[in-house]
Amino acid sequence: MKNYNLKLTIIIGLFAANTALAIDPVKEASDFDVNSIREIENEIEIDLGFDTADYLPENFDPYAYPTNVEGINFIDPKDDFEVDFDTKKYLPEGFDPYKRNR
């Protein structure tokens, strides 16, 4: 019986080794072509609950280059902002907004 188990173990081991050595990873990697992969793009539709065309100018094209750059509204950081109350009451003593804390 021990002789039978030994023969069976050797046969199974040779079969496993033959299977493991039969796989050629270099050949399989070279056969793979990335361009053969098909990509399916799903277009996602988002419902905002309102029609966005009502809030855009006529003939709006998001991909068009702006021709009149001066017509673009922006917030000027140099605009003066006036506060109607004394802010020193609400700030700590010696407060300096331009001082860097390190």
Side-chain angles (χ1 to χ4, degrees), residues 18-89:
N18 187 23
T19 305
L21 295 175
I23 299 172
D24 186 10
V26 175
K27 181 180 176 188
E28 289 184 11
S30 65
D31 290 343
F32 179 70
D33 183 20
V34 175
N35 296 324
S36 66
I37 299 174
R38 288 183 42 216
E39 181 180 352
I40 301 172
E41 293 185 21
N42 294 332
E43 187 170 327
I44 300 172
E45 292 185 22
I46 299 174
D47 183 20
L48 299 175
F50 61 92
D51 187 16
T52 56
D54 295 339
Y55 298 94
L56 297 172
E58 292 181 16
N59 301 323
F60 175 75
D61 183 11
Y63 302 108
Y65 186 76
T67 55
N68 183 10
V69 181
E70 293 176 358
I72 299 174
N73 295 329
F74 66 95
I75 298 172
D76 188 7
K78 296 179 183 176
D79 284 345
D80 293 331
F81 181 74
E82 294 183 23
V83 181
D84 295 341
F85 58 92
D86 186 20
T87 57
K88 291 183 180 181
K89 294 180 186 177

